[in-house]
Amino acid sequence: MRILTPRKAFFYAVTLCLTTNYINAQDRNITVTQDPKFEQLLNEKRKTNVLNAANDCYKVQIFSGESEKAKNTLNEFKQEFSDLDGTIVFNTPNYKVWVGNFKTRIEAERNLIDIRKKHKNVLLIKPSK
C-alpha cells in the first residue's frame, strides 16, 4: 500500500474542497413544457373512462349513420343543449350519437321529450358492455 506524501494529500484535499462548491445538482429548477393537445387527450380519456364505468345509466340516441353527419349532429346538439353531454360511438357500420347520462329511466324520458322536439329519430337506450 502506498502512502501519500503530506504535500500530495494537501493538494487532493484542497482540490476536493474547491470542486464540491461547484457541484449543485439538486439546486436546479426544471421547467416542463407540454403540448396543449396532451391535455385534450387526457380529457377525452377521462370521458371514455366515465362512459365505461357508467354503463348502468340511460342514454338517448339521436343519430345513427355516417361519420360526418354524426359529427354535425353532435355539434348542433351541443349548441342547443349545452347542459347535456354527448358522444359519438362506432358500431359497425354506423356512427351513433348518444347524449345524456341519466341515472333513472324517468329522468331520461323527461329529457327525451325535450330532445324529440328538435330531433326526430330518437331512442331511449341503456348501453351494455
Side-chain angles (χ1 to χ4, degrees), residues 4 7-24:
L4 294 176
R7 188 176 197 182
K8 283 187 178 180
F10 177 74
F11 174 73
Y12 288 135
V14 169
T15 304
L16 182 65
C17 290
L18 291 176
T19 56
T20 56
N21 287 337
Y22 296 108
I23 300 175
N24 295 323

Side-chain angles (χ1 to χ4, degrees), residues 4 9 24 49 56 73 90 96 113:
L4 294 176
N24 295 323
N49 288 344
D56 59 338
T73 303
F90 178 70
K96 298 179 180 184
I113 294 168

Side-chain angles (χ1 to χ4, degrees), residues 11-128:
F11 174 73
Y12 288 135
V14 169
T15 304
L16 182 65
C17 290
L18 291 176
T19 56
T20 56
N21 287 337
Y22 296 108
I23 300 175
N24 295 323
Q26 301 300 321
D27 292 340
R28 302 288 181 212
N29 292 331
I30 297 175
T31 304
V32 178
T33 57
Q34 80 181 22
D35 191 4
K37 291 183 181 180
F38 182 73
E39 192 64 34
Q40 291 175 343
L41 181 63
L42 281 177
N43 289 333
E44 291 298 321
K45 177 64 176 160
R46 288 181 190 125
K47 281 183 183 179
T48 304
N49 288 344
V50 168
L51 288 175
N52 289 339
N55 278 337
D56 59 338
C57 296
Y58 291 90
K59 297 185 181 297
V60 176
Q61 179 176 312
I62 61 171
F63 178 81
S64 179
E66 298 174 2
S67 173
E68 287 302 316
K69 290 181 181 178
K71 289 177 186 176
N72 292 338
T73 303
L74 182 61
N75 287 336
E76 290 172 8
F77 179 82
K78 285 184 177 180
Q79 290 174 359
E80 295 167 359
F81 300 93
S82 59
D83 57 331
L84 293 177
D85 190 31
T87 186
I88 297 175
V89 178
F90 178 70
N91 288 336
T92 306
N94 294 322
Y95 290 86
K96 298 179 180 184
V97 179
W98 290 352
V99 296
N101 203 13
F102 309 111
K103 296 193 185 323
T104 64
R105 185 176 177 96
I106 295 172
E107 181 185 2
E109 287 177 353
R110 286 180 187 151
N111 285 292
L112 178 70
I113 294 168
D114 293 335
I115 294 170
R116 190 169 275 153
K117 292 175 185 175
K118 299 285 183 177
H119 300 276
K120 299 296 178 199
N121 297 326
V122 295
L123 299 170
L124 181 62
I125 59 171
K126 186 174 182 179
S128 60

